[in-house]
Amino acid sequence: MSQELILLKCGEIALKGLNRRSFESILLANLRHRLRRIGKFSCQILQSTVTVDCLDPDADGDEQTRLLGLPTKMDRAYDECLRVFGFVSAVRAKGCEKEPEAICRLAADYLAPQLRAAKTFKVESKRADKSFPLTSPELSSLVGGYLHKRFPHLSVNVKHPDLTVRVEVRDRAAFVHGDADPAAGGLPVSSSGRGTLMLSGGIDSPVAGYLMARRGLRIDAVHFHSFPYTGERARQKVEDLARIVGRYAGDVDFYVVPFTHVQETLRDCCSPEYFTILTRRFMVRITEALALRAGSGCLITGESLGQVASQTLDGLRATDGVAERLPILRPLIGLDKEDIVAYSRKIGAFETSIEPYEDCCALFAPKHPKTKPKEEELLEEEAKLDVAALVEDAVAGTVLTLLRYGKEKTVVGALSDVSSPDSASPRESV
Ligand code: ATP
Ligand code: MG
């Protein structure tokens, strides 16, 4: 029997008209980047379907890993494929010559475990190759009849079968597979550009990063850290969260901003009731400076309307006002906490997010923060400070770490010591 392969159906990019080619090439580059660390794979796109073949399957090795209950190369590749944005569904399949008898035999042999487990089934066929001698219904009924003979316990149920056997006659070969799994959806990472995620140690911001990566943004993550008030474990937790976002977003550039001096200055020079909102304004200014430096096109936060005092319309306006050149995207703005938690669990971030380490936001937080701060009042408070110098110092002291998918991290160091910014790459990887 032929070797197994993976079929991935493209989602929205199939509708991209003239731009489709460039979306497809980013999608393939992202996929190859993911699979490279597992083995040698060939990824080809045809008729909005990507076929992934393993070129170094190492059959004995795989057999042994199977006996030991470990995932094979194909298992691992499939798992990766399910997290690559741009595909709507994924399925493992086998191919054979475009010949009716070969197709029947392959369906019975390859899908034998599922066919044995099912009580009802149906066959669905598709012909992309119109020169194939049978029509789709004729092929379905031929394969169905053959399977019925080989597995007499089965009965046909066209409305709600336990198993749908699918046959696809394509240009290259005929493929047989069972039901497909839903894949990650969205657009290929980097196809929409680059976004700078404000990443805290909470539940919300990793989900925001995941959602915007799904809309095709490559993600840089910026974290504000107030050492020694917030410790190394808190920083490490956020790095772990950046890695979790990276399981979907691929490579992530991770910036840690030294925020102690800004926060102490605000505590010492400004009225306490404005502390929270002023802190957030500084976060946005610094993040925007870092984003512009990296060639990113937007800021991303995990804010949701009304969730806390700083996320009221007035609070949001107060932070929007200081982002001078880039938009702030807030993908969670209309979601309830419950929805956000469901996403957080789905992407595997929840257990890490609830680890109990202090965030710098909780530091020096006033008992009675202003919920409706007036623009003039904020400007009056900030007039007591050298805002530009505080922003510049924080940016210069920011430490950049490259989190490359599936690899050890590389600490680049403080930005004041880094000559040129990490160039904006058109792909998920640099
Ligand atoms: P989260 O669960 O993401 O921490 P939150 O509900 O705790 O969010 P806030 O603390 O008000 O809300 O933060 C709102 C947003 O501001 C966060 O979603 C995140 O994008 C950003 N943010 C907060 N703290 C930090 C931080 N220390 N570093 C970077 N960004 C931060
Ligand atoms: Mg928080």
Side-chain angles (χ1 to χ4, degrees):
M1 214 186 336
S2 67
Q3 199 189 302
E4 198 175 29
L5 44 76
I6 297 169
L7 297 179
L8 301 165
K9 299 261 185 244
C10 295
E12 275 177 58
I13 65 169
L15 310 170
K16 290 286 172 197
L18 290 177
N19 289 332
R20 203 180 80 194
R21 283 278 141 101
S22 77
F23 277 91
E24 287 179 353
S25 90
I26 296 174
L27 180 67
L28 284 178
N30 290 348
L31 181 64
R32 290 182 181 127
H33 178 58
R34 289 298 182 99
L35 298 178
R36 202 164 293 138
R37 71 196 186 96
I38 298 174
K40 286 205 175 84
F41 289 87
S42 139
C43 308
Q44 307 294 332
I45 191 159
L46 201 65
Q47 296 153 336
S48 296
T49 299
V50 172
T51 45
V52 179
D53 291 274
C54 188
L55 302 178
D56 58 347
D58 188 7
D60 289 346
D62 268 4
E63 197 48 47
Q64 225 173 347
T65 46
R66 208 183 285 284
L67 287 174
L68 290 169
L70 299 169
T72 63
K73 256 186 202 171
M74 274 311 259
D75 293 335
R76 288 164 58 211
Y78 191 63
D79 184 51
E80 289 292 336
C81 290
L82 291 177
R83 281 183 274 110
V84 175
F85 291 128
F87 297 114
V88 280
S89 73
V91 71
R92 291 164 78 151
K94 276 199 173 179
C96 65
E97 319 85 86
K98 294 187 268 182
E99 205 258 297
E101 246 177 65
I103 295 172
C104 289
R105 256 181 291 136
L106 177 64
D109 295 342
Y110 178 47
L111 299 177
Q114 288 109 298
L115 287 161
R116 265 185 230 114
K119 287 198 177 78
T120 57
F121 84 120
K122 73 169 171 180
V123 180
E124 266 187 15
S125 305
K126 252 203 268 177
R127 277 187 328 160
D129 172 8
K130 300 292 178 202
S131 69
F132 188 73
L134 302 182
T135 63
S136 300
E138 282 167 355
L139 181 59
S140 295
S141 95
L142 183 83
V143 176
Y146 182 89
L147 293 177
H148 205 224
K149 247 186 245 150
R150 288 270 304 263
F151 301 88
H153 73 282
L154 285 174
S155 60
V156 173
N157 181 336
V158 279
K159 281 223 171 108
H160 304 289
D162 295 338
L163 175 69
T164 303
V165 173
R166 290 176 205 271
V167 180
E168 300 186 37
V169 183
R170 297 176 152 266
D171 288 345
R172 181 182 136 179
F175 296 104
V176 167
H177 57 83
D179 292 315
D181 294 308
L187 295 170
V189 166
S190 292
S191 66
S192 301
R194 194 167 183 131
T196 304
L197 169 67
M198 296 172 65
L199 184 61
S200 70
I203 293 169
D204 305 330
S205 43
V207 172
Y210 160 83
L211 288 175
M212 292 324 301
R214 197 168 77 174
R215 293 312 299 164
L217 288 179
R218 183 195 156 118
I219 301 292
D220 292 340
V222 172
H223 177 61
F224 291 84
H225 190 52
S226 288
F227 191 80
Y229 302 104
T230 52
E232 168 53 24
R233 295 291 297 276
R235 194 207 63 81
Q236 182 59 48
K237 170 187 172 181
V238 181
E239 185 180 314
D240 295 345
L241 289 171
R243 280 276 190 200
I244 291 169
V245 173
R247 281 165 48 92
Y248 297 85
D251 295 344
V252 172
D253 291 2
F254 179 50
Y255 295 87
V256 177
V257 182
F259 206 43
T260 317
H261 181 57
V262 171
Q263 289 200 293
E264 286 179 341
T265 307
L266 290 174
R267 177 196 61 190
D268 296 342
C269 304
C270 300
S271 306
E273 71 263 33
Y274 295 105
F275 180 83
T276 306
I277 201 76
L278 292 173
T279 301
R280 299 199 55 75
R281 280 162 70 91
F282 270 95
M283 283 185 175
V284 169
R285 286 190 183 100
I286 295 164
T287 306
E288 188 182 40
L290 291 168
L292 289 169
R293 190 181 180 283
S296 157
C298 65
L299 276 53
I300 303 164
T301 77
E303 290 161 309
S304 157
L305 188 63
Q307 195 188 80
V308 290
S310 60
Q311 295 173 27
T312 57
L313 283 182
D314 290 300
L316 298 182
R317 196 177 50 221
T319 49
D320 267 336
V322 294
E324 289 178 348
R325 294 172 54 193
L326 299 178
I328 303 180
L329 304 187
R330 299 180 170 100
L332 312 185
I333 199 70
L335 298 189
D336 288 354
K337 194 73 183 184
E338 258 173 54
D339 307 330
I340 301 170
V341 167
Y343 270 120
S344 171
R345 287 187 192 280
K346 178 179 141 174
I347 66 171
F350 187 71
E351 296 305 324
T352 306
S353 284
I354 59 173
E355 285 174 11
Y357 302 112
E358 283 271 286
D359 190 88
C360 70
C361 283
L363 202 67
F364 315 138
K367 280 222 172 68
H368 303 292
K370 275 260 176 204
T371 49
K372 288 185 186 296
K374 290 212 176 69
E375 175 81 9
E376 314 84 75
E377 293 166 359
L378 295 172
L379 292 175
E380 217 169 277
E381 290 298 320
E382 285 169 351
K384 301 174 188 170
L385 313 166
D386 185 344
V387 172
L390 285 166
V391 170
E392 211 173 290
D393 285 355
V395 169
T398 294
V399 174
L400 169 61
T401 302
L402 306 180
L403 303 176
R404 294 294 168 259
Y405 189 75
K407 291 195 186 142
E408 291 292 310
K409 67 178 176 185
T410 311
V411 182
V412 176
L415 294 186
S416 53
D417 302 332
V418 179
S419 50
S420 66
D422 183 24
S423 65
S425 155
R427 301 281 185 275
E428 173 182 298
S429 58
V430 173

